[in-house]
């Protein structure tokens, strides 16, 4: 595996093009400019874009992000961008953390120092990790797939090659959203390599075996299926579009940074524990840095298409199939609909389940301390 050091360096021409496009935005009308019921609030979007034009400093964000050690590895024809931070402690546990949509490696920025240098942040140096944070293919600075058929199942194989190429023959995995699917497939496909996984989300594509010869649905499981279906009907339009016609969506959002911003910001508001005010949890700088990473990737079609690949190969299991490595689940109160433990245990080897009274879908950004505490506790209890 060939690996080179990498620094984020967006060209002035790309920044100039972004400014021009933002300045020339053609704004829609809105029946309720203040509200979010129809999608991203027009009033909020005007404030966000005004900040983007007048105050947001990409170069400052770029400089800060470049303080992290970035690399690019060539694996099976892909250029995979990743952050690799060695742990400070006697025996670091290798851990690969995978983001989802609409996230990026930026999601993990706050947890990286807590996991790699616990002694400097009120923790036990024994709970240290060598942390690897890759960008999914087509996200941020990882190259996009050139053909169909690259979903979470296949990405798990890329991640295993990345970890082995870095010299880690046994490692843990962590993720939420799409990252939870990748981590789950890693544990299922390579149980001898993966010592354990930690998830802060159970992927919506997860399908345990049910039917003849298997335990019937419990009342809690039946209720979960109902709630999940209702949520998908009310809130799942984004996933249906990205999972069926991602290319059509990509034309508009690859041409309009404001359109992209509206598509992403609405999810940060809806999926976080913000009580309707997204700026209570995420600063404008954070939101715009995330949006900019998607814009500068130049591969929005690939980031959307990953939903179609996930539909084609869902996290579905047959009778007798199990995820063998020990699994810990952190459930944050305002997460998207999540199944009861009994539903998860039909496939996963659940050894730890933690409930949190606050926090949402973006746990590493919203509740980094609580997430890190759960990760530490889980891996501390596993054989090394």
């Amino acid at each position: 595996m060939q690996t080179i050091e990498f620094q984020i360096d967006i060209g002035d021409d790309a920044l100039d093009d972004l400014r021009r496009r933002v300045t020339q935005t053609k704004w829609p009308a809105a029946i309720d400019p203040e509200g979010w019921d129809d999608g991203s609030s027009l009033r909020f979007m005007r404030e966000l874009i005004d900040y983007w034009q007048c105050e947001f400093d990409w170069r400052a964000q770029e400089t800060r992000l470049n303080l992290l050690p970035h690399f690019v590895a060539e694996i099976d024809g892909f250029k995979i961008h990743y952050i690799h931070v060695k742990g400070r402690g006697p025996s670091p546990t290798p851990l690969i953390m995978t983001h989802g949509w609409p996230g990026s490696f930026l999601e993990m920025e706050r947890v990286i120092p807590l996991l790699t240098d616990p002694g400097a942040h009120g923790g036990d140096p024994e709970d240290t990790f060598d942390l690897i944070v890759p960008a999914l293919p087509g996200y941020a600075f990882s190259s996009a797939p050139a053909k169909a058929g690259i979903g979470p199942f296949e990405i798990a194989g890329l991640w295993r090659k990345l970890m082995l190429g870095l010299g880690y023959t046994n490692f843990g995995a962590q993720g939420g959203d799409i990252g939870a699917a990748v981590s789950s497939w890693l544990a299922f496909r390579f149980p001898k390599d993966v010592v354990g996984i930690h998830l802060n989300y159970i992927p919506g594509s997860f399908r345990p075996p049910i039917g003849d010869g298997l335990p019937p649905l419990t009342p809690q499981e039946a209720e979960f299926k109902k709630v999940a279906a209702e949520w998908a009907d009310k809130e799942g339009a984004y996933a249906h579009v990205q999972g069926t016609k991602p290319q059509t969506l990509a034309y508009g959002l690859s041409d309009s940074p404001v359109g992209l911003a509206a598509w992403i910001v609405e999810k940060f508001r809806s999926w976080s524990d913000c009580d309707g005010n997204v700026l209570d949890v995420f600063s404008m700088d954070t939101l715009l840095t995330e949006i900019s990473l998607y814009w500068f990737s130049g591969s929005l079609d690939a980031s959307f298409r990953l939903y179609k690949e996930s539909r084609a190969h869902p996290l579905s299991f047959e009778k007798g199939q199990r995820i063998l490595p020990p699994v810990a689940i952190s459930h944050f109160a305002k997460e998207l609909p999540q199944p009861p433990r009994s539903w998860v245990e039909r496939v996963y080897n659940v050894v730890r389940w933690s409930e949190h009274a606050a926090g949402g879908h973006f746990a590493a950004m919203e509740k980094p301390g609580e997430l890190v505490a759960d990760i530490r506790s889980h891996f501390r209890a596993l054989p090394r």
Side-chain angles (χ1 to χ4, degrees):
M1 182 181 77
Q2 292 185 328
T3 298
I4 60 172
E5 294 184 0
F6 175 80
Q7 287 276 279
I8 304 170
D9 184 16
I10 302 302
D12 289 339
D13 55 342
L15 292 174
D16 290 342
D17 176 68
L18 175 58
R19 292 189 194 98
R20 177 182 60 80
R21 291 173 183 270
V22 170
T23 301
Q24 295 178 355
T25 297
K26 183 178 180 180
W27 289 97
I31 291 175
D32 178 11
E34 305 287 325
W36 290 81
D37 286 348
D38 293 338
S40 291
S41 158
L42 179 59
R43 181 192 62 78
F44 179 86
M45 287 303 302
R46 283 189 174 277
E47 290 180 1
L48 182 70
I49 301 313
D50 182 67
Y51 186 89
W52 206 356
Q53 290 178 291
C54 302
E55 297 185 56
F56 180 71
D57 185 348
W58 167 257
R59 290 299 183 206
Q61 304 302 319
E62 187 177 73
T63 298
R64 189 190 79 255
L65 292 176
N66 276 331
L67 295 176
L68 296 167
H70 296 263
F71 302 87
V72 171
E74 292 193 11
I75 308 171
D76 292 350
F78 287 93
K79 292 183 178 180
I80 299 298
H81 164 243
Y82 66 98
I83 293 166
H84 187 189
V85 182
K86 295 290 188 71
R88 295 189 176 185
S91 183
T93 299
L95 181 67
I96 184 165
M97 297 187 75
T98 309
H99 67 86
W101 184 91
S104 70
F105 67 86
L106 181 67
E107 280 190 66
M108 313 307 177
E109 185 180 14
R110 296 179 66 186
V111 304
I112 288 173
L114 304 182
L115 289 169
T116 58
D117 193 4
H121 297 88
D124 186 340
E126 293 283 345
D127 292 329
T128 187
F129 294 84
D130 279 359
L131 204 58
I132 298 86
V133 181
L136 294 164
Y139 287 68
F141 307 107
S142 288
S143 62
K147 61 180 181 180
I150 307 298
F153 183 90
E154 292 76 19
I155 293 169
L158 294 175
W159 276 198
R160 176 178 181 261
K161 290 184 178 182
L162 173 62
M163 296 301 282
L164 294 179
L166 293 173
Y168 300 122
T169 55
N170 295 104
F171 53 89
Q174 199 283 331
D177 198 81
I178 295 170
V182 174
S183 299
S184 297
W185 281 129
L186 261 172
F188 178 73
R189 294 183 62 190
F190 311 111
K192 293 183 179 179
D193 301 325
V194 178
V195 299
I197 65 173
H198 177 277
L199 309 177
N200 55 281
Y201 180 65
I202 300 300
S205 66
F206 172 58
R207 299 289 183 272
I210 55 176
D212 293 342
L214 293 166
L217 296 185
T218 67
Q220 293 80 10
E221 291 170 344
E223 178 64 18
F224 157 70
K225 292 191 71 177
K226 177 184 176 183
V227 170
E230 291 172 348
W231 184 90
D233 181 62
K234 183 180 179 181
E235 298 287 345
Y238 79 97
H240 197 69
V241 173
Q242 293 183 184
T244 57
K245 304 297 181 185
Q247 189 66 33
T248 301
L249 178 65
Y251 289 113
L253 302 195
S254 295
D255 189 57
S256 171
V258 174
L260 176 65
W263 192 252
I264 288 177
V265 162
E266 192 264 324
K267 299 311 173 195
F268 272 89
R269 178 186 179 272
S270 297
W271 296 354
S272 64
D273 187 4
C274 70
D275 289 328
N277 186 356
V278 67
L279 296 181
D280 282 350
V281 177
F282 309 103
S283 69
M284 283 195 175
D285 281 336
T286 296
L287 293 171
L288 289 169
T289 300
E290 191 73 89
I291 293 161
S292 297
L293 287 170
Y294 274 84
W295 180 261
F296 293 134
S297 75
S299 53
L300 289 174
D301 55 310
S303 68
F304 300 150
R305 184 183 173 82
L306 190 49
Y307 273 70
K308 187 171 185 177
E309 300 293 354
S310 297
R311 272 173 78 103
H313 194 166
L315 193 64
S316 181
F317 297 88
E318 298 178 358
K319 185 177 179 180
Q321 291 183 321
R322 298 280 297 168
I323 292 177
L324 298 178
V327 179
I329 309 293
S330 294
H331 178 226
F332 291 85
K334 296 299 178 67
E335 181 56 274
L336 280 56
Q338 286 292 273
R341 181 167 180 166
S342 61
W343 184 254
V344 180
E345 287 179 331
R346 288 173 180 260
V347 171
Y348 289 86
N349 175 20
V350 179
V351 299
R352 183 181 179 88
W353 188 288
S354 303
E355 295 283 346
H356 296 276
H361 191 64
F362 305 96
M365 303 175 85
E366 296 180 63
K367 297 293 180 183
E370 293 181 27
L371 180 67
V372 164
D374 286 354
I375 294 171
R376 288 173 179 170
S377 295
H378 178 50
F379 286 97
R380 183 190 308 137
L382 302 181
R384 299 201 182 188

